């Protein structure tokens, strides 16, 4: 659909009949305000009778205080509470000016009027709470909802649009419910969705209903903006060695810990696993998913620390990973002793003479699991270094004095206590897997830093040229490039005692890691942010720039980096009034001394949609948008570009997309853009990207 621009209409001067505001509190000393003056006939519908009927049907007035309302029904003891001071005339209803003209109200209570038309602009950015308040609270003869990028991908999307008009098209299929909607379901609703199997005819009928709604209620206009010249180019950034090492370390660390989707998916019934979950969450550094953490790492080398350079961040990472490895090791030692004591408590609680034959057989299951783990599974960890360390930790744990363990009271029956006890051994297995991953991750990162500093890798013959050597990112072992590639095809590591699953993509040439002595650094904020600041600095002084970032914490880092580069930067924050003032100042025709010429916007926020920012002619996307669907990607991207490529634009629109080579940046761009290969083939290199003259 075409881009939509919201225009605020001036206060109505004429109305055929204006709805009367609801009366104020009728308590002691309160007078009913005089009715508002009737105004003429274009903006308000006839509603005098309806407003009066609604007022008469109210059991109590909306302006009554919280204490006055329920006092009639409360017991006498509660009614004796000291009444809170009532806020006097919050809307200015009692003033003489407001009695004569509703425009003098302090804050217009829109729900008190019956409107001729209600218009909701960019409705896709409003949430469910806004929907309920607007649809049920604001009365109108007509409703319009506007969006330049409506979702019409299926019945569920169309049904949500219909809700803004007060229409219900039908129930959603179980597969169409959001996570929030699934949580709100009752057990009966979940069971109904589970047992119900919909036929193709049912889906066809829903499709026909959605199409009928679109045909009857939806109108589309096409924005004819082809005459506005524009250019799009990609800027590929090559990370310097320290930053590249940090990105590779995080990527492989996440893979080693098996965090494919989110740390929230790694859960257990064991309460003693809280420390493990906290360590895994700490790896993400405040990000909601591994993909988000990697995107941030491409843009800035240290989102959670205070490192002044990427090299310093590397040293901090080594210290952090070493500390996390020690915490994991300590947890294995403690859990070994706890599992031993828990098994003893379980066996002591269930006497064999009081159990049936099946229970007697199951009674020994936790101890069997524990013995098999420490005698067989530890030695088969798949990494000799990790196996030796775990064996020492198990020995130290078993050497601890026996403690008293109480079986959880919420586990009532025999099987419940059995499964809880067995879970203590399962936690040991997960901790074992975590420690193996941490050992391999730290080994790899230390090898990368050794190469970048000009050192030699352990276990290799002296004098071997670096061009012939490679590292395995999955485990940190090194060797000749050809030999590692051959073993990677068989998904094995050539190092004795290492059973890491190696893929061809895990083989990294040592020469590609760079050298700190030969390659430059990315400055205090990293190579990508330095390239963005350099590009903005090369634009004309009178031209304004939009910078789109998806994540709030990264947005703050961008603000710091651009400010440190001497650029005048504005951000949207605070109340709606304050945010509107920022946009209004940015849209001033003449750029005054000290005014910001760079505006930072959040890609997923409504600030990146709807606003007219045609005074800017440059739009910089710091990274590709991370979303769950192609429709959402296209919608957000179209809204962002539409801030400057719209009616009123007098200059050539220039769009820049920054990506880090061989990273998640290029992966997302390739997956979401059909023309990504062409865009990347014609891309400039970091600081070489320049605006049109």
């Amino acid at each position: 659909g075409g881009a939509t621009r919201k225009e605020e209409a001036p206060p109505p001067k004429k109305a055929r009949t204006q709805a009367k505001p609801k009366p104020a509190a009728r308590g002691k000393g309160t007078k009913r305000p005089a009715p508002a003056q009737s105004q003429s006939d274009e903006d308000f519908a006839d509603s005098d009778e309806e407003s009066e009927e609604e007022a008469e049907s109210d059991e109590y007035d909306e302006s009554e205080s919280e204490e006055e309302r329920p006092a009639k029904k409360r017991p006498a003891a509660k009614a004796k509470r000291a009444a809170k001071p009532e806020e006097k005339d919050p809307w200015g209803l009692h003033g003489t000016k407001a009695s004569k003209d509703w425009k003098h109200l302090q804050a217009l209570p829109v729900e008190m009027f019956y409107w001729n038309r209600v218009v909701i602009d960019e409705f896709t950015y409003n949430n469910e709470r806004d929907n309920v308040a607007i649809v049920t609270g604001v009365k109108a003869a007509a409703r319009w909802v506007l969006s330049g990028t409506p979702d019409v991908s299926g019945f569920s999307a169309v049904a949500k649009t219909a809700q803004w008009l007060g229409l219900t098209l039908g129930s959603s299929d179980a597969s169409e419910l959001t996570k929030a909607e699934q949580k709100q379901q009752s057990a009966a609703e979940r069971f109904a969705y589970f047992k119900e199997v919909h036929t193709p005819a049912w889906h066809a009928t829903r499709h026909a209903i959605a199409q009928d709604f679109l045909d009857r209620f939806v109108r589309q206009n096409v924005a004819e903006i082809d005459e506005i010249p524009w250019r799009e180019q990609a800027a590929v950034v090559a990370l310097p060695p320290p930053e590249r090492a940090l990105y590779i370390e995080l990527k492989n660390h996440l893979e080693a810990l098996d965090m494919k989707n989110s740390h929230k998916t790694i859960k257990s019934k064991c309460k003693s696993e809280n420390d493990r979950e906290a360590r895994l969450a700490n790896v993400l550094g405040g990000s909601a998913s591994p993909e988000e953490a990697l995107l941030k790492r491409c843009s800035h080398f240290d989102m959670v620390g205070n490192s002044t350079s990427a090299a310093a961040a590397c040293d901090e990472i080594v210290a952090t990973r070493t500390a996390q490895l020690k915490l994991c090791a300590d947890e294995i030692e403690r859990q070994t002793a706890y599992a031993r004591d828990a098994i003893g408590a379980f066996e002591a609680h269930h006497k064999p003479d009081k159990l049936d034959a099946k229970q007697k057989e199951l009674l020994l299951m936790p101890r069997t699991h524990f013995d098999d783990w420490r005698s067989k599974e530890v030695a088969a960890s798949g990494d000799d270094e990790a196996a030796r360390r775990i064996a020492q930790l198990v020995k130290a744990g078993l050497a601890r004095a026996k403690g008293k363990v109480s079986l959880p009271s919420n586990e009532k029956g025999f099987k419940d206590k059995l499964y809880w006890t067995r879970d203590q051994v399962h936690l040991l297995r997960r901790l074992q897997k975590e420690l193996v991953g941490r050992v391999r991750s730290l080994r790899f990162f230390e090898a990368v830093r050794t190469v970048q500093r000009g050192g030699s890798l352990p276990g290799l013959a002296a004098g071997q040229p670096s061009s012939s050597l490679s590292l395995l990112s999955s485990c940190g072992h090194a060797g000749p490039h050809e030999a590692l590639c051959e073993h990677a095809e068989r998904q094995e590591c050539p190092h004795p005692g290492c059973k890491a699953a190696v893929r061809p993509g895990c083989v990294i040439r040592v020469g590609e890691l760079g050298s700190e002595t030969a390659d430059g650094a990315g400055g205090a904020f990293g190579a990508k942010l330095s390239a963005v600041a350099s590009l903005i600095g090369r634009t004309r002084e009178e031209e304004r720039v939009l910078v789109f970032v998806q994540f709030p914490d990264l947005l703050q880092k961008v603000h710091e980096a651009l400010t440190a580069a001497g650029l005048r930067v504005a951000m949207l924050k605070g109340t709606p009034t304050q945010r509107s003032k920022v946009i209004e100042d940015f849209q001033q025709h003449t750029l005054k001394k000290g005014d910001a010429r760079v505006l930072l916007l959040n890609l997923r926020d409504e600030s990146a949609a709807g606003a007219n920012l045609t005074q800017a002619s440059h739009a910089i996307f710091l990274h590709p948008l991370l979303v769950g669907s192609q429709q959402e990607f296209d919608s957000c991207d179209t809204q962002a570009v539409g801030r400057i490529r719209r009616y009123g634009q007098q200059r050539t629109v220039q769009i820049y997309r920054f990506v880090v080579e061989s990273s998640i940046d290029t992966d997302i761009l390739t997956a979401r853009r059909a023309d990504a290969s062409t865009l990347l083939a014609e891309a400039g290199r970091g600081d070489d990207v320049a605006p049109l003259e």
Side-chain angles (χ1 to χ4, degrees):
T4 301
R5 181 174 64 187
K6 179 180 179 181
E7 297 181 357
E8 276 189 27
K13 297 181 179 180
K14 296 182 180 181
R16 183 168 58 237
T17 302
Q18 179 184 340
K20 296 178 181 179
K22 292 186 179 180
R26 298 174 190 167
K28 294 181 179 180
T30 305
K31 295 182 179 180
R32 183 168 183 162
Q37 297 296 313
S38 64
Q39 301 184 10
S40 75
D41 36 329
E42 291 181 0
D43 298 311
F44 292 94
D46 296 327
S47 60
D48 279 329
E49 292 105 348
E50 184 172 342
S51 297
E52 290 175 356
E53 289 172 4
E54 289 177 0
E56 291 298 328
S57 64
D58 289 342
E59 293 182 8
Y60 48 79
D61 294 313
E62 290 185 357
S63 54
E64 285 181 323
S65 71
E66 194 67 24
E67 291 298 325
E68 288 176 330
R69 260 199 306 247
K72 302 173 184 177
K73 298 182 180 180
R74 287 182 181 175
K78 294 185 179 180
K80 292 181 180 179
R81 286 185 192 165
K84 297 179 181 178
E86 181 181 357
E87 187 177 1
K88 296 183 179 180
D89 196 19
W91 291 335
L93 289 171
H94 301 166
T96 56
K97 291 183 178 180
S99 299
K100 297 178 180 179
D101 189 349
W102 63 270
K103 289 178 287 186
H104 291 285
L105 291 174
Q106 296 295 325
L108 177 65
V110 294
E111 68 276 9
M112 295 177 65
F113 298 89
Y114 188 89
W115 301 92
N116 186 49
R117 181 184 299 121
V118 170
V119 181
I120 303 105
D121 192 20
E122 298 298 347
F123 72 93
T124 56
Y125 284 86
N126 292 309
N127 55 36
E128 184 178 350
R129 184 177 178 181
D130 296 333
N131 181 297
V132 174
I134 294 172
V135 173
T136 63
V138 183
K139 306 298 182 182
R143 294 180 183 275
W144 288 12
V145 293
L146 309 178
S147 175
T149 54
D151 186 1
V152 291
S153 57
F155 175 84
S156 179
V158 175
K160 289 181 180 178
T161 301
Q163 290 175 359
W164 285 99
L165 301 180
L167 301 176
T168 301
L169 299 186
S171 61
S172 299
D173 188 59
S175 60
E176 298 170 343
L177 297 177
T178 64
K179 291 183 178 179
E181 291 171 338
Q182 291 174 356
K183 288 182 179 180
Q184 294 173 358
Q185 283 185 300
S186 65
E189 288 174 326
R190 286 194 296 270
F191 180 73
Y193 276 115
F194 175 76
K195 72 175 185 178
E196 192 172 10
V197 179
H198 297 303
T199 64
W202 184 87
H203 288 283
T205 302
R206 291 204 320 158
H207 180 83
I209 292 173
Q211 188 61 56
D212 181 58
F213 168 80
L214 295 177
D215 294 340
R216 295 179 61 185
F217 293 100
V218 177
R219 298 295 180 269
Q220 179 183 23
N221 71 306
V222 177
E224 298 177 356
I225 56 176
D226 294 338
E227 69 275 9
I228 300 176
W230 71 294
R231 182 186 74 158
E232 181 181 33
Q233 58 178 322
V236 178
V237 178
L239 295 179
E243 289 188 58
R244 188 70 187 169
L246 288 169
Y247 175 82
I248 295 174
E249 188 276 339
L250 178 61
K251 179 176 180 292
N252 288 280
H253 194 61
L254 293 172
E255 290 179 353
L257 297 181
D258 196 22
M259 300 176 71
K260 296 178 182 178
N261 297 314
S262 171
H263 69 280
K264 296 178 182 178
T265 63
I266 304 174
K267 295 182 179 179
S268 171
K269 294 181 180 179
C270 298
K271 294 181 179 179
S272 54
E273 195 172 33
N274 290 342
D275 291 340
R276 175 177 177 269
E277 291 185 10
R279 287 194 302 274
L280 299 181
N282 187 46
V283 173
L284 297 180
S287 299
S289 66
E291 292 81 9
E292 180 181 329
L294 290 172
L295 273 176
K296 292 177 181 177
R297 183 60 60 87
C298 285
S299 299
H300 194 276
F301 51 78
D302 188 11
M303 290 297 301
V304 295
N306 298 310
S307 302
T308 56
S309 66
C314 287
D315 297 335
E316 186 176 333
I317 282 289
V318 171
T320 300
R321 296 290 184 254
T322 303
Q324 290 172 342
L325 179 61
K326 186 178 185 306
L327 289 173
C328 182
D330 294 342
E331 182 68 16
I332 289 178
E333 182 178 332
R334 287 194 302 269
Q335 183 62 21
T336 300
Y338 186 83
R340 176 202 61 191
D341 298 338
I343 293 171
F346 172 74
E347 293 175 347
H349 186 269
H350 298 92
K351 303 298 182 183
D353 55 346
K354 296 182 179 180
L355 303 177
D356 57 32
K358 183 65 175 177
Q359 290 176 334
K360 289 180 182 179
E361 181 182 346
L362 294 174
L363 180 65
L364 300 177
M365 184 176 67
R367 184 169 296 281
T368 302
H369 276 256
F370 183 70
D371 292 340
D372 288 345
W373 174 76
R374 63 188 182 91
S375 62
K376 301 177 183 178
E377 296 178 28
V378 169
S381 296
D383 191 283
D384 282 355
E385 180 184 348
R388 289 192 297 269
R389 183 173 297 197
I390 295 173
Q392 295 173 354
L393 295 171
V394 172
K395 183 178 180 181
L398 294 176
R400 288 191 174 194
K402 291 186 177 182
K404 183 178 180 181
V405 175
S406 299
L407 300 179
S409 57
N410 59 324
E411 308 293 352
K412 302 297 183 183
F414 173 83
K415 282 192 174 182
D416 293 335
K417 290 182 171 59
L418 170 71
Y419 296 149
W420 177 86
T421 308
R422 185 192 60 185
D423 281 347
Q424 305 308 315
V425 183
H426 288 341
L427 176 56
L428 282 170
R429 293 189 175 101
R430 288 189 286 272
L431 290 170
Q432 173 190 354
K433 184 177 181 179
E434 179 187 345
L435 187 135
V436 171
R438 290 189 181 280
V439 167
R440 289 171 174 170
S441 176
L442 185 59
R443 181 196 298 139
F444 169 72
F445 191 61
E446 288 178 337
V448 170
R449 295 301 292 154
T450 299
V451 169
Q452 292 178 341
R453 288 169 174 165
S456 58
L457 295 174
L460 297 177
Q464 282 186 290
S466 60
S467 59
S468 64
L469 299 178
S470 288
L471 268 174
L472 292 177
S473 61
S474 56
C475 57
H477 292 125
H481 179 75
E482 291 76 10
L484 292 185
C485 288
E486 291 178 6
H487 283 82
E489 292 294 337
R490 299 193 295 269
Q491 297 187 359
E492 62 183 18
C493 175
H495 191 274
C498 180
K499 300 293 177 60
V502 179
R503 300 181 302 276
C506 297
V507 182
I508 301 176
R509 287 185 179 273
V510 169
E512 296 177 357
L513 298 174
S515 171
E516 287 189 8
T517 57
D519 299 331
F525 293 96
K528 184 187 276 191
L529 292 183
S530 297
V532 170
S534 176
L535 171 62
I536 297 174
R538 291 196 295 274
T539 60
R540 295 175 181 174
E541 188 63 28
E542 68 274 10
E543 294 179 337
R544 284 167 243 196
V545 183
L546 302 182
V547 179
F548 291 100
V549 186
Q550 183 175 352
F551 312 109
D553 52 350
L554 181 56
L555 198 69
Q556 186 60 41
K557 289 288 186 182
V558 176
H559 184 273
E560 295 173 6
L562 298 184
T563 302
L567 299 169
R568 299 184 298 277
V569 185
M571 288 178 63
L572 291 186
K573 57 184 178 180
T575 64
T577 302
Q578 292 171 331
R579 295 159 72 95
S580 298
K581 182 66 167 57
V582 172
I583 292 178
E584 183 181 339
D585 293 342
F586 187 79
Q587 272 294 92
Q588 293 296 326
H589 184 71
T590 303
L591 196 63
K592 301 176 183 177
K593 184 178 180 181
D595 287 348
R597 73 183 192 95
V598 180
L599 179 61
L600 300 183
L601 295 174
N602 190 324
L603 262 174
R604 296 299 304 280
D605 192 70
E606 60 270 16
S607 60
N612 182 3
L613 299 171
T614 51
Q615 288 297 329
S617 57
H618 300 269
I620 297 175
F621 290 83
L622 185 67
H623 57 80
L625 182 65
L626 178 64
V627 289
S629 67
Q630 184 66 45
Q631 189 280 332
E632 193 174 3
F633 178 91
D634 294 338
S635 174
C636 292
D637 193 81
T638 302
Q639 288 281 8
V641 174
R643 295 319 95 223
I644 60 175
R645 191 168 183 251
R646 61 192 298 133
Y647 297 122
Q649 180 59 259
Q650 302 297 322
R651 299 186 179 91
T652 298
V653 173
Q654 302 187 60
I655 300 169
Y656 313 88
R657 300 185 184 275
F658 278 79
V659 294
V660 170
E661 64 178 351
S662 303
S663 72
I664 192 173
D665 280 358
T666 52
D667 293 342
I668 294 177
L669 190 67
T670 303
R672 296 299 187 190
R673 290 282 298 263
D675 60 344
S677 57
T678 303
L679 195 63
L680 293 174
E682 299 173 354
R685 304 291 300 183
D687 292 338
D688 297 335
V689 176
L692 290 174
E693 294 297 333

